[in-house]
Structure formats: structure tokens, C-alpha cells
Amino acid sequence: MKSSSNHKKIYRLKNISIDEVAKSFQTLNVEGKLSDYEMESIPMVGINMPITDITYKGNDTNKHLSTLSDKFIYLIHLIRNRQIANGGNFAPFHSVVLEKIFGKDYSKMIRLLLKLNILQCDNYYQIGQKSYGFRFNDKVEFTYTYENPNYLSKYSDKAKKIFQNIQIQTEQENRKQLGDDSFYDRYNQSLSLLNLTHIDECREFLSLHHFINEHSKNYYYDIVDSYTSETPIITSIDKNKRIYSIATSTPRILKPFLNIKFSSDIHNSHPLLFNSILFDYFNVSLPLRKRLSLSFNILNISPYNVSRIIRKHLISNNIRREEIANIPNDVLAYLYITSIGKFWDCIIPSDCSDSLLLRSDIKVLMFAEVFYSKKLTTRGQKYAKIFKKQFPNVYKVVRKQKQEDRTRLANDMMRLESELFHQILTKLFNKRFKVISIHDAIVVLDVKTNSKCTVEVVKEIIQNVYNDRGLSPDISTDTYDATSTLANEATTNKLIESFMYRLEEGIAENDEECIELKSKLETSEIELLPNHDYTDVLIHPLNVKK
């Protein structure tokens, strides 16, 4: 924990009296209105629910009001704290844990907060897999105080012990999932050095930024609060060995305020990874894969309408005709344009020019429809149809990968990405560099030990690891500047406002894409970022572990 003193930070409701909440509990409890059956009438998830007025009668129970108030204070603090640590998302709480901390009244306390629309529940529970998740209504405002360590220790000591045990269990599960303790420790060591170095500038940015809604605003503030109160650690590792932490939940526009030296991203990362599946499907040997990748880097021909000429150019670059005889022209073209990082430039044609969406926005939709969709046809999928039209034989392979298991393709690609990036990180760790990953990017921290970790060093390692698999990545580098971000914030806000105006126009016309985009913006699945020259906004997915 990061702390400037021995005092504890306690989150409190800003405009709601905790004593009134406690008195309301006493009244409703006596009237039997906090029973299980009452849950059916309690609203669950709803972003814009109004806060219900709190009313209460006299004290009709033998519960001491101050004790009940303390319980509510710590329950609210606990949920708020864990919601922040979870990047503003629903924080799961096991009923056994809550009962150990608060006693059997915990369920009625939760029901009251739900009934008053102070709290929200995700209403999703799965035995042995998922506990109910809770977060506060976006209209609920918070403040905090720094209290003596003994304050609420009756509850905080229990919670600390329980959550320490849970953290140990979680870490054991993560290590088992990853299967490499040394890598896990080195990654966590690097991650622990990630911090918010431009705190004042970040606070100023938050005060200036145009947020889409209260949920978006709270999400950003929760991320910032997490950096200032917790030391980052690995939070989870999924079945494909993708690593999640506060870094994967951090909106890109907040990164200038972190101690990031630079990050190296792979252009059209997942479309490029699909090359490996295409190579396997057409039985392309590893030596030929490497020669093809080398040829792609030196062809220097236009990627547009390349299908009809790609074979000729490959043959002229010492690829024998018989070696690629069974590979269709559109597949060769796909391999070429993904290898030079031009997939998105070529795939989105003028058909889309009349859309509200920018080319960068369409990436999100096309990627979801082509590679991650569970559908086996293009029915009702505009961008999958565009892809199929340009690359019919590539799409045929996409479809075949999903026939037996419709999630197989997505999982195969994420698993391959994790494997490649773990190799890249290991090579960088071996050089004693402090680096982390955000799925398809290597993030180099601005710390003393990284003085010799240059863009050239990182690029060379990425290229070597990918080349060993017969893949040719096109790599870009991003640097971040807090001063520049602040200076351009007024322009960014105007761009966001303009985009939202156009989005609302599309929604008024029942445009399904616009309706879906707004929904994803409201739940922080995606964010709006300015493009490089601040002439428009683009859609960027948030890598949030749900």
C-alpha cells in the first residue's frame, strides 16, 4: 500500500448521512422489508437511477445506532475501495467473506443499499466461478477522511486477514495458470514500479476532460485513485495466459501521466497472428514462412489491389512457383498487407465513407465481426461481408476454424499472442530491463535500469521472436507527454462533443452501429481518443478484465 502516513484512508458518502442510512435500516428491518423476497423489487444495474430519499421512523430495534453506523461506514468503504481496485467495475464479494466481517446482518445491509439505489448489483452468480458483483450508482458522490489506525479496526482487521488469504490463493491460482514462477515474479517486480508520476497534471486533466457520462468519469477517477493507493500487481491470468492488471484497465489517454518511457505496438496485431493459422492450413513449412516474410519486407509494391500481382512479385524474389501453387492469390495478398502493417488501410474501402465512423472506428467492429464473432455466416454483419468480398479464401479459413468450436479461433490467437509476448518479455527481463505488456504492446518504464532499453533494442527483440515463427511484424512506437496532453485538451473536448452529436443523430435514425457504440461507451468498453493531429477522434478498446 502507498501511504504518506500511518492513518487509514476511509471512503465516505458525500451527501448522504450514514446515520440516516442506519436509522432507515432499523425501520425497514422491523417492518420486514429487508427480507429475501424483497430483492425481486429492487432495481439492479441501471446507470441513471435516481437516488431514493432516505426516510426512517423511531428506533424500533435493540441494535445500537453507532455500531450499525460503523458497519455501514466500513461496508461502503470496503465496496468502494475494491471497486476502485477493480478499475471502476463491479467488485465481486463472496457472501461468506461479508458474513465473517459484518455478521449475519450483511445481506440486509446490502439489500438496503440496493433498495436506496445507492448500490448496484451485476445480478450474475455462478457457483464456484463468480460471486455477485457490486458497485455504486454513478450519481453517488464520495469523499474520504484519514483516520486513526484503530478506527473501525473491529471490521478492518477481519477484512485484512481475509483478503490477504484470498490474495494468496489468487496468486497461487495465477502462478499455476501461467506455469512459470520466475516469469511471474519478474513481471510483478516491473509492474510494481509503474506509478502516476504527474499527479497534479493528471488531476488537472480530469477536471478539464469532457466525459461521456458519470460512469465514464467515475471510471477514470477510480483508475487514478487505484494508482495513488495501491502498488500494481498482477490481478488475474486467463486460460490463454493473458496477463491483467491496473495497466490493462488504464485508458490510453491517462498514460502520459504515468512513468512510461515509450511503448512498442504491433500494427494489425491479431490479423497478423492469423497468418500463422493460414500457414498451418496451407501446409507452409517454417523455412518457406521465413522466406516469404523476408520477401514481404522487400517487395515495395502498393498494397492496394495487390491480389492480382502478388504471386508474380514473389516469384521474382526467389520464391519458386510450385512452393506457393496451392495458396490462393487473396491469401498471399492478405499475408503481404498484414506483414507490412497495412491491413486496416486496405480492408476498409470507400463503401464506408458515408458512415459516421472513421476508418479507425471500423477496425473495432470489423475485428469483432470477422475474428471474434461466433457466427458462421456474414448475415447481418456489414464489415464481415466487406472482408469476405476482399479475401474470400481467407474468410473460408476463418469459418473453418470456428466450425467445431466457435470460440476456438479467438482463443488460439490470444494464446499465440501471449506465447510470443512472454518470449519477448523474457528476453527483455534477461537484460534486466523493467517492462510490462498490454496484450499487443511492450511498455518500457521510465526508470534508471532502463537507460539502455532503447526503441531499437525492443524492436529488434520483437522482430526476432516473431521471425522465428515465420511472422513479420510492423512495429510502431508511442511516447507520452503530459504537458502536450493538457495543452490539447480543449481541442480534444470539442472533437468528443462533435462526435457525440453525430452519434446521437445516428441513434435518432435507429442506426444499429451508433446504438451499439453508445452502449459500449457508457459501459467503458471503449473510449474516445484524439487522432495524432487532433483533427478527429478515434475509438479505442479498453483492455478491461471483466
Side-chain angles (χ1 to χ4, degrees), residues 21 57 189 355:
V21 172
K57 300 177 183 177
Q189 186 180 38
S355 173

Side-chain angles (χ1 to χ4, degrees), residues 312-367:
K312 175 183 175 182
H313 282 272
L314 287 172
I315 292 170
S316 67
N317 275 273
N318 300 316
I319 302 294
R320 297 198 307 275
R321 186 184 301 274
E322 57 271 23
E323 288 181 306
I324 55 175
N326 69 321
I327 306 177
N329 287 344
D330 67 297
V331 175
L332 290 173
Y334 178 91
L335 294 170
Y336 171 61
I337 67 173
T338 51
S339 296
I340 63 173
K342 295 294 183 181
F343 174 74
W344 296 117
D345 298 80
C346 299
I347 188 61
I348 303 169
S350 56
D351 305 39
C352 306
S353 60
D354 60 344
S355 173
L356 161 74
L357 307 177
L358 300 175
R359 298 170 75 85
S360 54
D361 305 337
I362 294 170
K363 292 181 189 180
V364 179
L365 297 174
M366 180 172 286
F367 183 81

